Coordinates of all heavy atoms in Angstrom, one line a residue:
H1 N 7.3 -2.6 -0.7 CA 8.1 -1.5 -0.1 C 7.3 -0.3 0.0 O 7.6 0.8 -0.5 CB 9.3 -1.3 -0.9 CG 10.5 -2.1 -0.4 ND1 11.3 -1.6 0.7 CD2 11.1 -3.2 -0.8 CE1 12.3 -2.5 0.9 NE2 12.1 -3.5 0.1
V2 N 6.2 -0.3 0.7 CA 5.4 0.8 1.0 C 5.4 1.0 2.5 O 5.0 0.1 3.3 CB 3.9 0.7 0.5 CG1 3.1 1.9 0.9 CG2 3.9 0.5 -1.0
F3 N 5.8 2.1 3.0 CA 5.9 2.3 4.5 C 4.6 3.0 5.0 O 4.0 3.8 4.3 CB 7.1 3.2 4.8 CG 8.4 2.5 4.5 CD1 9.0 2.5 3.3 CD2 9.0 1.8 5.6 CE1 10.2 1.9 3.1 CE2 10.2 1.1 5.3 CZ 10.8 1.2 4.1
P4 N 4.1 2.6 6.2 CA 4.8 1.8 7.2 C 4.5 0.3 7.0 O 4.9 -0.5 7.8 CB 4.2 2.3 8.5 CG 2.8 2.7 8.1 CD 2.9 3.3 6.7
A5 N 3.7 -0.1 6.0 CA 3.3 -1.5 5.8 C 4.5 -2.5 5.8 O 4.6 -3.5 6.4 CB 2.5 -1.7 4.6
Y6 N 5.6 -2.1 5.0 CA 6.7 -2.9 4.8 C 7.4 -3.1 6.2 O 7.9 -4.2 6.6 CB 7.7 -2.4 3.8 CG 9.0 -3.1 3.8 CD1 9.1 -4.3 3.1 CD2 10.2 -2.6 4.4 CE1 10.4 -5.0 3.1 CE2 11.4 -3.3 4.4 CZ 11.5 -4.5 3.7 OH 12.7 -5.2 3.7
Y7 N 7.5 -2.0 6.9 CA 8.2 -2.0 8.2 C 7.5 -3.0 9.2 O 8.2 -3.7 9.9 CB 8.3 -0.6 8.8 CG 9.0 -0.6 10.2 CD1 10.3 -0.8 10.3 CD2 8.2 -0.4 11.3 CE1 10.9 -0.8 11.5 CE2 8.8 -0.3 12.6 CZ 10.2 -0.6 12.7 OH 10.8 -0.5 13.9
E8 N 6.2 -3.0 9.2 CA 5.5 -3.8 10.1 C 5.7 -5.3 9.7 O 5.8 -6.2 10.6 CB 4.0 -3.5 10.1 CG 3.6 -2.1 10.6 CD 4.0 -2.0 12.0 OE1 3.9 -2.9 12.8 OE2 4.5 -0.9 12.4
L9 N 5.9 -5.6 8.5 CA 6.1 -7.0 8.0 C 7.5 -7.5 8.4 O 7.7 -8.6 8.8 CB 5.9 -7.1 6.5 CG 4.4 -6.9 6.0 CD1 4.4 -6.8 4.5 CD2 3.6 -8.1 6.5
I10 N 8.5 -6.6 8.2 CA 9.9 -7.0 8.4 C 10.3 -6.9 9.8 O 11.3 -7.4 10.2 CB 10.8 -6.1 7.5 CG1 12.1 -6.8 7.2 CG2 11.0 -4.7 8.1 CD1 12.1 -8.0 6.3
L11 N 9.5 -6.2 10.7 CA 9.9 -5.9 12.1 C 10.3 -7.1 12.9 O 11.3 -7.1 13.6 CB 8.7 -5.2 12.7 CG 8.9 -4.8 14.2 CD1 10.1 -3.9 14.4 CD2 7.7 -4.1 14.8
P12 N 9.6 -8.3 12.8 CA 10.0 -9.4 13.6 C 11.4 -10.0 13.2 O 12.0 -10.7 14.0 CB 8.9 -10.5 13.3 CG 7.7 -9.7 12.8 CD 8.3 -8.6 12.1
Y13 N 11.9 -9.6 12.1 CA 13.1 -10.2 11.6 C 14.3 -9.2 11.6 O 15.4 -9.5 11.2 CB 13.0 -10.7 10.1 CG 11.8 -11.6 10.0 CD1 10.5 -11.2 9.6 CD2 12.0 -13.0 10.3 CE1 9.5 -12.1 9.5 CE2 10.9 -13.9 10.1 CZ 9.7 -13.4 9.7 OH 8.6 -14.3 9.6
L14 N 14.1 -8.0 12.1 CA 15.1 -6.9 12.0 C 16.3 -7.2 12.8 O 17.4 -6.5 12.6 CB 14.4 -5.6 12.5 CG 13.6 -4.8 11.5 CD1 13.1 -3.5 12.1 CD2 14.4 -4.5 10.2
E15 N 16.3 -8.1 13.8 CA 17.5 -8.4 14.6 C 18.6 -9.0 13.7 O 19.7 -9.2 14.2 CB 17.2 -9.2 15.8 CG 16.3 -8.5 16.8 CD 15.9 -9.3 18.0 OE1 16.7 -10.3 18.3 OE2 14.9 -9.1 18.6
G16 N 18.2 -9.4 12.5 CA 19.2 -9.9 11.6 C 19.6 -9.0 10.4 O 20.3 -9.4 9.5
A17 N 19.2 -7.7 10.5 CA 19.4 -6.8 9.4 C 20.8 -6.2 9.4 O 21.3 -5.8 10.5 CB 18.4 -5.6 9.6
P18 N 21.4 -6.2 8.2 CA 22.7 -5.5 8.1 C 22.6 -4.0 8.2 O 21.6 -3.5 8.1 CB 23.2 -6.0 6.7 CG 21.9 -6.2 6.0 CD 20.9 -6.7 7.0
A19 N 23.8 -3.4 8.4 CA 23.8 -2.0 8.7 C 23.2 -1.2 7.5 O 22.5 -0.2 7.7 CB 25.2 -1.5 8.9
A20 N 23.5 -1.6 6.3 CA 23.0 -0.9 5.1 C 21.5 -0.8 5.1 O 20.9 0.2 4.7 CB 23.5 -1.6 3.8
D21 N 20.8 -1.9 5.5 CA 19.4 -1.9 5.5 C 18.8 -1.0 6.6 O 17.8 -0.3 6.4 CB 18.8 -3.3 5.6 CG 19.1 -4.1 4.4 OD1 19.7 -3.6 3.5 OD2 18.6 -5.3 4.4
L22 N 19.5 -0.9 7.7 CA 19.0 -0.1 8.8 C 19.2 1.4 8.4 O 18.4 2.2 8.8 CB 19.8 -0.4 10.1 CG 19.6 -1.7 10.7 CD1 20.5 -1.9 11.9 CD2 18.1 -1.9 11.1
K23 N 20.3 1.7 7.7 CA 20.5 3.1 7.3 C 19.4 3.5 6.3 O 19.0 4.6 6.3 CB 21.9 3.2 6.6 CG 23.1 3.0 7.6 CD 24.4 3.0 6.9 CE 25.6 2.7 7.8 NZ 25.8 3.9 8.7
A24 N 19.0 2.5 5.5 CA 17.9 2.8 4.5 C 16.6 3.1 5.3 O 15.8 4.0 4.9 CB 17.7 1.7 3.5
L25 N 16.4 2.3 6.3 CA 15.1 2.4 7.1 C 15.1 3.8 7.8 O 14.1 4.4 8.1 CB 15.0 1.3 8.1 CG 14.5 0.0 7.7 CD1 14.5 -1.0 8.8 CD2 13.1 0.1 7.0
S26 N 16.3 4.3 8.2 CA 16.4 5.5 8.9 C 15.9 6.7 8.1 O 15.6 7.8 8.7 CB 17.8 5.8 9.4 OG 18.6 6.2 8.3
R27 N 15.7 6.5 6.8 CA 15.2 7.6 6.0 C 13.7 7.5 5.7 O 13.1 8.3 5.0 CB 16.0 7.6 4.6 CG 17.5 7.8 4.8 CD 18.1 8.0 3.4 NE 18.2 6.8 2.6 CZ 19.2 5.9 2.7 NH1 20.2 6.1 3.5 NH2 19.1 4.8 1.9
E28 N 13.1 6.5 6.4 CA 11.7 6.2 6.1 C 10.7 6.6 7.3 O 9.6 6.2 7.2 CB 11.5 4.8 5.7 CG 12.3 4.4 4.5 CD 11.8 5.1 3.2 OE1 10.7 5.6 3.2 OE2 12.6 5.1 2.3
N29 N 11.2 7.2 8.3 CA 10.3 7.7 9.4 C 9.6 6.5 10.0 O 8.3 6.5 10.1 CB 9.4 8.8 8.9 CG 8.6 9.4 10.1 OD1 9.2 9.6 11.1 ND2 7.4 9.8 9.8
V30 N 10.3 5.4 10.4 CA 9.6 4.2 10.9 C 9.3 4.3 12.4 O 8.5 3.4 12.9 CB 10.5 3.0 10.6 CG1 10.6 2.8 9.1 CG2 11.9 3.1 11.3
N31 N 9.9 5.2 13.2 CA 9.6 5.3 14.6 C 9.8 4.0 15.3 O 9.0 3.5 16.0 CB 8.2 5.8 14.8 CG 8.0 7.3 14.3 OD1 8.8 8.1 14.5 ND2 6.8 7.5 13.7
M32 N 11.0 3.5 15.2 CA 11.4 2.2 15.8 C 11.3 2.4 17.3 O 11.8 3.4 17.9 CB 12.8 1.8 15.4 CG 13.3 0.5 16.0 SD 15.0 0.1 15.5 CE 14.7 -0.4 13.8
N33 N 10.8 1.4 18.1 CA 10.8 1.5 19.5 C 12.1 1.1 20.1 O 12.9 0.4 19.4 CB 9.6 0.7 20.2 CG 9.7 -0.8 19.9 OD1 10.7 -1.4 20.1 ND2 8.6 -1.3 19.4
I34 N 12.4 1.5 21.3 CA 13.8 1.3 21.9 C 14.1 -0.2 22.1 O 15.2 -0.6 22.0 CB 13.9 2.1 23.2 CG1 15.4 2.2 23.6 CG2 13.0 1.6 24.2 CD1 16.3 2.9 22.7
S35 N 13.1 -1.0 22.4 CA 13.3 -2.4 22.7 C 13.8 -3.1 21.4 O 14.6 -4.0 21.5 CB 12.0 -3.0 23.2 OG 11.0 -2.9 22.3
T36 N 13.3 -2.7 20.3 CA 13.7 -3.2 19.0 C 15.2 -2.7 18.7 O 16.0 -3.5 18.3 CB 12.8 -2.8 17.8 OG1 11.5 -3.3 18.1 CG2 13.3 -3.3 16.5
F37 N 15.4 -1.5 19.0 CA 16.7 -0.9 18.7 C 17.8 -1.5 19.4 O 18.9 -1.9 18.8 CB 16.7 0.6 19.0 CG 18.0 1.3 18.8 CD1 18.4 1.7 17.5 CD2 18.8 1.6 19.9 CE1 19.6 2.3 17.3 CE2 20.0 2.2 19.7 CZ 20.5 2.6 18.4
V38 N 17.7 -1.8 20.7 CA 18.8 -2.3 21.5 C 19.0 -3.8 21.2 O 20.0 -4.4 21.7 CB 18.5 -2.1 23.0 CG1 18.4 -0.6 23.4 CG2 17.2 -2.8 23.5
N39 N 18.1 -4.4 20.5 CA 18.3 -5.8 20.2 C 18.7 -6.0 18.7 O 18.8 -7.2 18.2 CB 17.0 -6.6 20.4 CG 16.8 -6.9 21.9 OD1 17.6 -7.5 22.6 ND2 15.7 -6.4 22.4
L40 N 19.1 -4.9 18.0 CA 19.6 -5.0 16.7 C 20.9 -5.7 16.7 O 21.6 -5.8 17.7 CB 19.7 -3.7 16.0 CG 18.4 -2.9 15.8 CD1 18.8 -1.5 15.3 CD2 17.5 -3.6 14.8
R41 N 21.3 -6.3 15.5 CA 22.6 -6.9 15.4 C 23.7 -5.9 15.8 O 23.7 -4.8 15.4 CB 22.8 -7.3 13.9 CG 23.8 -8.5 13.8 CD 23.7 -9.0 12.3 NE 24.6 -8.2 11.5 CZ 24.7 -8.5 10.2 NH1 24.0 -9.5 9.6 NH2 25.5 -7.8 9.4
R42 N 24.6 -6.4 16.7 CA 25.5 -5.5 17.4 C 26.4 -4.7 16.3 O 26.6 -3.5 16.5 CB 26.4 -6.2 18.3 CG 27.4 -5.4 19.1 CD 26.8 -4.3 19.9 NE 25.9 -4.8 21.0 CZ 26.4 -5.1 22.2 NH1 27.6 -4.8 22.5 NH2 25.5 -5.6 23.1
D43 N 26.9 -5.4 15.4 CA 27.8 -4.7 14.4 C 27.0 -3.7 13.6 O 27.6 -2.6 13.2 CB 28.5 -5.7 13.5 CG 27.6 -6.5 12.7 OD1 26.5 -6.9 13.2 OD2 27.9 -6.8 11.5
S44 N 25.8 -4.0 13.3 CA 24.9 -3.1 12.6 C 24.6 -1.8 13.4 O 24.7 -0.7 12.9 CB 23.6 -3.7 12.1 OG 23.9 -4.8 11.3
L45 N 24.3 -2.0 14.6 CA 24.0 -0.9 15.5 C 25.2 0.1 15.7 O 25.1 1.3 15.6 CB 23.5 -1.4 16.9 CG 23.0 -0.4 17.9 CD1 22.0 -1.1 18.8 CD2 24.1 0.2 18.7
M46 N 26.4 -0.6 15.9 CA 27.5 0.2 16.2 C 28.0 1.1 15.0 O 28.7 2.1 15.1 CB 28.7 -0.7 16.6 CG 28.5 -1.4 17.9 SD 28.3 -0.3 19.3 CE 30.0 0.3 19.4
S47 N 27.5 0.7 13.8 CA 27.9 1.5 12.6 C 27.0 2.7 12.3 O 27.3 3.5 11.4 CB 28.0 0.6 11.4 OG 26.6 0.2 11.0
L48 N 25.9 2.8 13.0 CA 25.0 3.9 12.8 C 25.5 5.2 13.4 O 26.1 5.3 14.5 CB 23.6 3.6 13.4 CG 22.9 2.3 12.9 CD1 21.7 2.0 13.7 CD2 22.5 2.5 11.4

């Protein structure tokens, strides 16, 4: 859990991330690209 190393490792799997984990990532300055964002799990995205 050292950023940005952890983010790069978990990135291919983020489309299965629950809302709580995305909220935690939002505090880590990960600079997510828009193509990743729009493909996040729908219920997780809508809760942000």
Side-chain angles (χ1 to χ4, degrees):
H1 265 280
V2 178
F3 291 88
Y6 173 78
Y7 179 71
E8 294 300 323
L9 291 170
I10 202 71
L11 180 58
Y13 306 95
L14 278 182
E15 292 178 27
D21 289 5
L22 294 177
K23 292 175 184 290
L25 281 179
S26 72
R27 300 189 289 270
E28 299 295 342
N29 192 33
V30 296
N31 295 319
M32 179 181 290
N33 61 53
I34 193 66
S35 61
T36 299
F37 178 78
V38 297
N39 285 299
L40 293 174
R41 206 168 86 180
R42 181 60 64 92
D43 62 324
S44 299
L45 186 153
M46 294 297 290
S47 71
L48 298 173

